[in-house]
Amino acid sequence: MIRIACAADVDRLKQIWSECFGDGEPYIDFFFRNAFVPASTIVAEEDGQVCAMLFLLESSVCFQGQENRAAYLYAAATLPQYRSRGIMGGMIRFAADFCRSAGFHSIVLVPAEESLFGYYGRSGFKTAFYGAYESFRVSEHTGPAAAVLPVDIPEMERMRREALRQCGGLMWHGREFCYAVHEHLFTGGEILFTRAGYVLYHREGDLCCVDEWIARPDREEELRSALQHSVRAAEYRIIRPPRAGDDETAVRARGMILPLTDDHNFTAGPADKPYIGLTLG
């Protein structure tokens, strides 16, 4: 049986999360305290026990200047002994009907590994979101750096909306954006915030890994200099919104979409590379 979750399912959902993803209790509790909404969580039961789950978070997508409501499908998992029975496929169909009736235009997800693009493709999802990957080494010849300021999450959200209105992509709003940022911090990430843009990053020894890079138009170099001045590293690896002129090998598929309505074309054109950067997990 597939159904909407209720508060009584929480302990079982935490068990499934721990067994399927291997996350520790602090992280699991963090999600359930701050982002869990039973009414937008779908579960499957077998033998009287919940054996699979998926969560739907409120978001929107912007394609070709048009923004529509979307559900972000997160942490889909089935206990190992119940796999290969078609349970998750049934849950995705249930989620599509549920989201369509709730007024969502699409469901979006980020496959956890390359092989899952094919798996979700069989359920109707299409590759639709990208990220541009680049790396650079520390330079002694950086230009003027934007001043580093105290983190301002509402302003970060405005910067992100401004950038994504130009290139398209997955947008987080209000509570969900705040959760995504705090989840980044909770998992050891750091934030560099300036008037030129912001950087979400984490450190791995001498490597600075940038999970999201949002720069205001024409202020990319100020942000780059601020990062190099503030975060000392031998190498910087970043994910940012794609832009015209990017080497094709640097732009990689990151997310998929399941259209739920016929009133909008969610298919990106050859030059369109809608962006997904800030994700969960």
PDB file of all heavy atoms in Angstrom, residues 4 39-40 42 56 58 69-71 92-107 258-261:
ATOM      1  N   ILE A   4       0.165   8.658   2.046  1.00  0.00           N
ATOM      2  CA  ILE A   4       0.830   9.822   2.632  1.00  0.00           C
ATOM      3  C   ILE A   4       1.265   9.471   4.045  1.00  0.00           C
ATOM      4  O   ILE A   4       0.564   8.751   4.768  1.00  0.00           O
ATOM      5  CB  ILE A   4      -0.120  11.036   2.633  1.00  0.00           C
ATOM      6  CG1 ILE A   4      -0.590  11.355   1.208  1.00  0.00           C
ATOM      7  CG2 ILE A   4       0.561  12.253   3.250  1.00  0.00           C
ATOM      8  CD1 ILE A   4       0.523  11.691   0.247  1.00  0.00           C
ATOM      9  N   ALA A  39       2.588  15.644   5.442  1.00  0.00           N
ATOM     10  CA  ALA A  39       1.616  15.755   4.349  1.00  0.00           C
ATOM     11  C   ALA A  39       2.255  15.777   2.970  1.00  0.00           C
ATOM     12  O   ALA A  39       1.561  15.619   1.962  1.00  0.00           O
ATOM     13  CB  ALA A  39       0.759  17.006   4.539  1.00  0.00           C
ATOM     14  N   SER A  40       3.577  15.953   2.880  1.00  0.00           N
ATOM     15  CA  SER A  40       4.257  15.899   1.583  1.00  0.00           C
ATOM     16  C   SER A  40       5.341  14.815   1.570  1.00  0.00           C
ATOM     17  O   SER A  40       6.346  14.928   0.876  1.00  0.00           O
ATOM     18  CB  SER A  40       4.861  17.262   1.226  1.00  0.00           C
ATOM     19  OG  SER A  40       5.762  17.700   2.223  1.00  0.00           O
ATOM     20  N   ILE A  42       5.737  10.571   1.135  1.00  0.00           N
ATOM     21  CA  ILE A  42       5.033   9.394   0.625  1.00  0.00           C
ATOM     22  C   ILE A  42       5.753   8.150   1.116  1.00  0.00           C
ATOM     23  O   ILE A  42       6.990   8.074   1.084  1.00  0.00           O
ATOM     24  CB  ILE A  42       4.955   9.433  -0.906  1.00  0.00           C
ATOM     25  CG1 ILE A  42       4.092  10.634  -1.333  1.00  0.00           C
ATOM     26  CG2 ILE A  42       4.387   8.134  -1.472  1.00  0.00           C
ATOM     27  CD1 ILE A  42       4.135  10.927  -2.811  1.00  0.00           C
ATOM     28  N   LEU A  56       8.927  15.209  -0.561  1.00  0.00           N
ATOM     29  CA  LEU A  56       8.677  16.229  -1.573  1.00  0.00           C
ATOM     30  C   LEU A  56       8.812  17.602  -0.937  1.00  0.00           C
ATOM     31  O   LEU A  56       8.060  17.939  -0.010  1.00  0.00           O
ATOM     32  CB  LEU A  56       7.290  16.054  -2.180  1.00  0.00           C
ATOM     33  CG  LEU A  56       7.052  14.712  -2.885  1.00  0.00           C
ATOM     34  CD1 LEU A  56       5.569  14.493  -3.131  1.00  0.00           C
ATOM     35  CD2 LEU A  56       7.833  14.636  -4.197  1.00  0.00           C
ATOM     36  N   GLU A  58       8.966  21.842  -1.331  1.00  0.00           N
ATOM     37  CA  GLU A  58       8.455  22.929  -2.166  1.00  0.00           C
ATOM     38  C   GLU A  58       9.607  23.665  -2.846  1.00  0.00           C
ATOM     39  O   GLU A  58      10.617  24.018  -2.217  1.00  0.00           O
ATOM     40  CB  GLU A  58       7.662  23.913  -1.303  1.00  0.00           C
ATOM     41  CG  GLU A  58       7.027  25.064  -2.057  1.00  0.00           C
ATOM     42  CD  GLU A  58       5.696  24.688  -2.706  1.00  0.00           C
ATOM     43  OE1 GLU A  58       5.002  23.795  -2.191  1.00  0.00           O
ATOM     44  OE2 GLU A  58       5.365  25.321  -3.728  1.00  0.00           O
ATOM     45  N   ARG A  69       5.687  26.288 -10.218  1.00  0.00           N
ATOM     46  CA  ARG A  69       5.811  25.549  -8.962  1.00  0.00           C
ATOM     47  C   ARG A  69       6.288  24.120  -9.229  1.00  0.00           C
ATOM     48  O   ARG A  69       5.805  23.453 -10.148  1.00  0.00           O
ATOM     49  CB  ARG A  69       4.449  25.525  -8.268  1.00  0.00           C
ATOM     50  CG  ARG A  69       4.450  25.018  -6.857  1.00  0.00           C
ATOM     51  CD  ARG A  69       3.067  25.140  -6.269  1.00  0.00           C
ATOM     52  NE  ARG A  69       2.993  24.574  -4.938  1.00  0.00           N
ATOM     53  CZ  ARG A  69       1.952  23.904  -4.480  1.00  0.00           C
ATOM     54  NH1 ARG A  69       0.882  23.720  -5.256  1.00  0.00           N
ATOM     55  NH2 ARG A  69       1.959  23.421  -3.250  1.00  0.00           N
ATOM     56  N   ALA A  70       7.242  23.661  -8.402  1.00  0.00           N
ATOM     57  CA  ALA A  70       7.800  22.324  -8.568  1.00  0.00           C
ATOM     58  C   ALA A  70       7.965  21.661  -7.205  1.00  0.00           C
ATOM     59  O   ALA A  70       8.122  22.329  -6.180  1.00  0.00           O
ATOM     60  CB  ALA A  70       9.152  22.396  -9.271  1.00  0.00           C
ATOM     61  N   ALA A  71       7.941  20.342  -7.207  1.00  0.00           N
ATOM     62  CA  ALA A  71       8.250  19.554  -6.016  1.00  0.00           C
ATOM     63  C   ALA A  71       9.633  18.941  -6.202  1.00  0.00           C
ATOM     64  O   ALA A  71       9.913  18.345  -7.245  1.00  0.00           O
ATOM     65  CB  ALA A  71       7.207  18.466  -5.807  1.00  0.00           C
ATOM     66  N   ILE A  92       6.645   6.673  -7.300  1.00  0.00           N
ATOM     67  CA  ILE A  92       6.833   7.826  -8.181  1.00  0.00           C
ATOM     68  C   ILE A  92       5.540   8.140  -8.930  1.00  0.00           C
ATOM     69  O   ILE A  92       5.166   9.314  -9.082  1.00  0.00           O
ATOM     70  CB  ILE A  92       8.009   7.578  -9.147  1.00  0.00           C
ATOM     71  CG1 ILE A  92       9.332   7.599  -8.363  1.00  0.00           C
ATOM     72  CG2 ILE A  92       8.032   8.621 -10.262  1.00  0.00           C
ATOM     73  CD1 ILE A  92      10.542   7.191  -9.171  1.00  0.00           C
ATOM     74  N   ARG A  93       4.838   7.122  -9.382  1.00  0.00           N
ATOM     75  CA  ARG A  93       3.545   7.363 -10.041  1.00  0.00           C
ATOM     76  C   ARG A  93       2.549   7.981  -9.061  1.00  0.00           C
ATOM     77  O   ARG A  93       1.795   8.904  -9.417  1.00  0.00           O
ATOM     78  CB  ARG A  93       3.009   6.049 -10.609  1.00  0.00           C
ATOM     79  CG  ARG A  93       3.800   5.535 -11.812  1.00  0.00           C
ATOM     80  CD  ARG A  93       3.104   4.373 -12.502  1.00  0.00           C
ATOM     81  NE  ARG A  93       3.055   3.178 -11.665  1.00  0.00           N
ATOM     82  CZ  ARG A  93       4.029   2.270 -11.599  1.00  0.00           C
ATOM     83  NH1 ARG A  93       5.141   2.419 -12.322  1.00  0.00           N
ATOM     84  NH2 ARG A  93       3.896   1.196 -10.844  1.00  0.00           N
ATOM     85  N   PHE A  94       2.542   7.499  -7.841  1.00  0.00           N
ATOM     86  CA  PHE A  94       1.678   8.075  -6.802  1.00  0.00           C
ATOM     87  C   PHE A  94       2.054   9.532  -6.563  1.00  0.00           C
ATOM     88  O   PHE A  94       1.186  10.412  -6.459  1.00  0.00           O
ATOM     89  CB  PHE A  94       1.826   7.259  -5.514  1.00  0.00           C
ATOM     90  CG  PHE A  94       0.914   7.673  -4.385  1.00  0.00           C
ATOM     91  CD1 PHE A  94      -0.249   6.967  -4.125  1.00  0.00           C
ATOM     92  CD2 PHE A  94       1.229   8.759  -3.573  1.00  0.00           C
ATOM     93  CE1 PHE A  94      -1.099   7.336  -3.078  1.00  0.00           C
ATOM     94  CE2 PHE A  94       0.397   9.138  -2.534  1.00  0.00           C
ATOM     95  CZ  PHE A  94      -0.770   8.428  -2.282  1.00  0.00           C
ATOM     96  N   ALA A  95       3.368   9.801  -6.467  1.00  0.00           N
ATOM     97  CA  ALA A  95       3.842  11.175  -6.243  1.00  0.00           C
ATOM     98  C   ALA A  95       3.427  12.087  -7.387  1.00  0.00           C
ATOM     99  O   ALA A  95       3.042  13.245  -7.164  1.00  0.00           O
ATOM    100  CB  ALA A  95       5.361  11.181  -6.082  1.00  0.00           C
ATOM    101  N   ALA A  96       3.484  11.584  -8.620  1.00  0.00           N
ATOM    102  CA  ALA A  96       3.095  12.409  -9.773  1.00  0.00           C
ATOM    103  C   ALA A  96       1.613  12.778  -9.688  1.00  0.00           C
ATOM    104  O   ALA A  96       1.244  13.936  -9.911  1.00  0.00           O
ATOM    105  CB  ALA A  96       3.391  11.668 -11.075  1.00  0.00           C
ATOM    106  N   ASP A  97       0.763  11.811  -9.367  1.00  0.00           N
ATOM    107  CA  ASP A  97      -0.673  12.097  -9.234  1.00  0.00           C
ATOM    108  C   ASP A  97      -0.933  13.063  -8.085  1.00  0.00           C
ATOM    109  O   ASP A  97      -1.730  14.000  -8.199  1.00  0.00           O
ATOM    110  CB  ASP A  97      -1.454  10.797  -9.013  1.00  0.00           C
ATOM    111  CG  ASP A  97      -1.481   9.906 -10.241  1.00  0.00           C
ATOM    112  OD1 ASP A  97      -1.256  10.430 -11.352  1.00  0.00           O
ATOM    113  OD2 ASP A  97      -1.726   8.695 -10.090  1.00  0.00           O
ATOM    114  N   PHE A  98      -0.245  12.839  -6.975  1.00  0.00           N
ATOM    115  CA  PHE A  98      -0.403  13.701  -5.800  1.00  0.00           C
ATOM    116  C   PHE A  98       0.019  15.137  -6.115  1.00  0.00           C
ATOM    117  O   PHE A  98      -0.700  16.099  -5.802  1.00  0.00           O
ATOM    118  CB  PHE A  98       0.435  13.138  -4.645  1.00  0.00           C
ATOM    119  CG  PHE A  98       0.540  14.044  -3.456  1.00  0.00           C
ATOM    120  CD1 PHE A  98      -0.493  14.134  -2.535  1.00  0.00           C
ATOM    121  CD2 PHE A  98       1.685  14.805  -3.250  1.00  0.00           C
ATOM    122  CE1 PHE A  98      -0.385  14.977  -1.435  1.00  0.00           C
ATOM    123  CE2 PHE A  98       1.793  15.655  -2.157  1.00  0.00           C
ATOM    124  CZ  PHE A  98       0.759  15.739  -1.240  1.00  0.00           C
ATOM    125  N   CYS A  99       1.191  15.288  -6.747  1.00  0.00           N
ATOM    126  CA  CYS A  99       1.705  16.630  -7.041  1.00  0.00           C
ATOM    127  C   CYS A  99       0.848  17.333  -8.090  1.00  0.00           C
ATOM    128  O   CYS A  99       0.600  18.541  -7.997  1.00  0.00           O
ATOM    129  CB  CYS A  99       3.156  16.547  -7.518  1.00  0.00           C
ATOM    130  SG  CYS A  99       4.319  16.104  -6.217  1.00  0.00           S
ATOM    131  N   ARG A 100       0.384  16.592  -9.074  1.00  0.00           N
ATOM    132  CA  ARG A 100      -0.476  17.184 -10.099  1.00  0.00           C
ATOM    133  C   ARG A 100      -1.760  17.733  -9.464  1.00  0.00           C
ATOM    134  O   ARG A 100      -2.176  18.857  -9.750  1.00  0.00           O
ATOM    135  CB  ARG A 100      -0.798  16.138 -11.166  1.00  0.00           C
ATOM    136  CG  ARG A 100      -1.452  16.709 -12.426  1.00  0.00           C
ATOM    137  CD  ARG A 100      -1.707  15.604 -13.428  1.00  0.00           C
ATOM    138  NE  ARG A 100      -0.479  15.062 -14.013  1.00  0.00           N
ATOM    139  CZ  ARG A 100       0.008  13.852 -13.760  1.00  0.00           C
ATOM    140  NH1 ARG A 100      -0.633  13.019 -12.942  1.00  0.00           N
ATOM    141  NH2 ARG A 100       1.120  13.443 -14.330  1.00  0.00           N
ATOM    142  N   SER A 101      -2.365  16.961  -8.581  1.00  0.00           N
ATOM    143  CA  SER A 101      -3.606  17.397  -7.940  1.00  0.00           C
ATOM    144  C   SER A 101      -3.371  18.546  -6.971  1.00  0.00           C
ATOM    145  O   SER A 101      -4.282  19.324  -6.691  1.00  0.00           O
ATOM    146  CB  SER A 101      -4.271  16.221  -7.210  1.00  0.00           C
ATOM    147  OG  SER A 101      -3.468  15.785  -6.125  1.00  0.00           O
ATOM    148  N   ALA A 102      -2.124  18.676  -6.471  1.00  0.00           N
ATOM    149  CA  ALA A 102      -1.792  19.757  -5.541  1.00  0.00           C
ATOM    150  C   ALA A 102      -1.362  21.029  -6.255  1.00  0.00           C
ATOM    151  O   ALA A 102      -1.027  22.024  -5.602  1.00  0.00           O
ATOM    152  CB  ALA A 102      -0.691  19.301  -4.589  1.00  0.00           C
ATOM    153  N   GLY A 103      -1.333  21.012  -7.602  1.00  0.00           N
ATOM    154  CA  GLY A 103      -1.023  22.216  -8.356  1.00  0.00           C
ATOM    155  C   GLY A 103       0.431  22.387  -8.739  1.00  0.00           C
ATOM    156  O   GLY A 103       0.827  23.467  -9.198  1.00  0.00           O
ATOM    157  N   PHE A 104       1.244  21.340  -8.577  1.00  0.00           N
ATOM    158  CA  PHE A 104       2.631  21.417  -9.026  1.00  0.00           C
ATOM    159  C   PHE A 104       2.697  21.200 -10.533  1.00  0.00           C
ATOM    160  O   PHE A 104       1.932  20.404 -11.092  1.00  0.00           O
ATOM    161  CB  PHE A 104       3.486  20.352  -8.326  1.00  0.00           C
ATOM    162  CG  PHE A 104       3.718  20.610  -6.863  1.00  0.00           C
ATOM    163  CD1 PHE A 104       2.896  20.040  -5.900  1.00  0.00           C
ATOM    164  CD2 PHE A 104       4.760  21.413  -6.448  1.00  0.00           C
ATOM    165  CE1 PHE A 104       3.105  20.267  -4.552  1.00  0.00           C
ATOM    166  CE2 PHE A 104       4.983  21.657  -5.101  1.00  0.00           C
ATOM    167  CZ  PHE A 104       4.151  21.076  -4.149  1.00  0.00           C
ATOM    168  N   HIS A 105       3.636  21.861 -11.178  1.00  0.00           N
ATOM    169  CA  HIS A 105       3.828  21.704 -12.618  1.00  0.00           C
ATOM    170  C   HIS A 105       4.851  20.626 -12.950  1.00  0.00           C
ATOM    171  O   HIS A 105       4.888  20.143 -14.088  1.00  0.00           O
ATOM    172  CB  HIS A 105       4.284  23.031 -13.237  1.00  0.00           C
ATOM    173  CG  HIS A 105       3.206  24.062 -13.299  1.00  0.00           C
ATOM    174  ND1 HIS A 105       2.721  24.567 -14.486  1.00  0.00           N
ATOM    175  CD2 HIS A 105       2.512  24.691 -12.312  1.00  0.00           C
ATOM    176  CE1 HIS A 105       1.775  25.459 -14.233  1.00  0.00           C
ATOM    177  NE2 HIS A 105       1.638  25.551 -12.915  1.00  0.00           N
ATOM    178  N   SER A 106       5.693  20.265 -11.977  1.00  0.00           N
ATOM    179  CA  SER A 106       6.743  19.293 -12.265  1.00  0.00           C
ATOM    180  C   SER A 106       7.307  18.738 -10.967  1.00  0.00           C
ATOM    181  O   SER A 106       7.087  19.285  -9.876  1.00  0.00           O
ATOM    182  CB  SER A 106       7.872  19.940 -13.080  1.00  0.00           C
ATOM    183  OG  SER A 106       8.480  20.982 -12.333  1.00  0.00           O
ATOM    184  N   ILE A 107       8.039  17.636 -11.109  1.00  0.00           N
ATOM    185  CA  ILE A 107       8.841  17.088 -10.021  1.00  0.00           C
ATOM    186  C   ILE A 107      10.296  17.119 -10.479  1.00  0.00           C
ATOM    187  O   ILE A 107      10.606  16.773 -11.622  1.00  0.00           O
ATOM    188  CB  ILE A 107       8.430  15.644  -9.678  1.00  0.00           C
ATOM    189  CG1 ILE A 107       6.975  15.599  -9.194  1.00  0.00           C
ATOM    190  CG2 ILE A 107       9.347  15.064  -8.605  1.00  0.00           C
ATOM    191  CD1 ILE A 107       6.456  14.183  -8.954  1.00  0.00           C
ATOM    192  N   LEU A 258      10.330  15.810 -14.199  1.00  0.00           N
ATOM    193  CA  LEU A 258       9.160  15.073 -14.661  1.00  0.00           C
ATOM    194  C   LEU A 258       8.037  16.080 -14.861  1.00  0.00           C
ATOM    195  O   LEU A 258       7.456  16.559 -13.891  1.00  0.00           O
ATOM    196  CB  LEU A 258       8.744  14.018 -13.636  1.00  0.00           C
ATOM    197  CG  LEU A 258       7.484  13.205 -13.973  1.00  0.00           C
ATOM    198  CD1 LEU A 258       7.719  12.336 -15.208  1.00  0.00           C
ATOM    199  CD2 LEU A 258       7.065  12.347 -12.779  1.00  0.00           C
ATOM    200  N   PRO A 259       7.738  16.472 -16.104  1.00  0.00           N
ATOM    201  CA  PRO A 259       6.643  17.429 -16.337  1.00  0.00           C
ATOM    202  C   PRO A 259       5.301  16.809 -15.946  1.00  0.00           C
ATOM    203  O   PRO A 259       5.043  15.631 -16.213  1.00  0.00           O
ATOM    204  CB  PRO A 259       6.716  17.694 -17.840  1.00  0.00           C
ATOM    205  CG  PRO A 259       8.084  17.237 -18.255  1.00  0.00           C
ATOM    206  CD  PRO A 259       8.421  16.107 -17.346  1.00  0.00           C
ATOM    207  N   LEU A 260       4.449  17.612 -15.319  1.00  0.00           N
ATOM    208  CA  LEU A 260       3.135  17.129 -14.890  1.00  0.00           C
ATOM    209  C   LEU A 260       1.991  17.802 -15.623  1.00  0.00           C
ATOM    210  O   LEU A 260       0.834  17.415 -15.447  1.00  0.00           O
ATOM    211  CB  LEU A 260       2.963  17.360 -13.378  1.00  0.00           C
ATOM    212  CG  LEU A 260       3.988  16.681 -12.471  1.00  0.00           C
ATOM    213  CD1 LEU A 260       3.753  17.085 -11.021  1.00  0.00           C
ATOM    214  CD2 LEU A 260       3.949  15.168 -12.627  1.00  0.00           C
ATOM    215  N   THR A 261       2.291  18.800 -16.422  1.00  0.00           N
ATOM    216  CA  THR A 261       1.262  19.523 -17.162  1.00  0.00           C
ATOM    217  C   THR A 261       1.699  19.665 -18.611  1.00  0.00           C
ATOM    218  O   THR A 261       2.865  19.474 -18.951  1.00  0.00           O
ATOM    219  CB  THR A 261       1.018  20.918 -16.570  1.00  0.00           C
ATOM    220  OG1 THR A 261       2.199  21.721 -16.762  1.00  0.00           O
ATOM    221  CG2 THR A 261       0.702  20.857 -15.079  1.00  0.00           C
TER     222      THR A 261
END
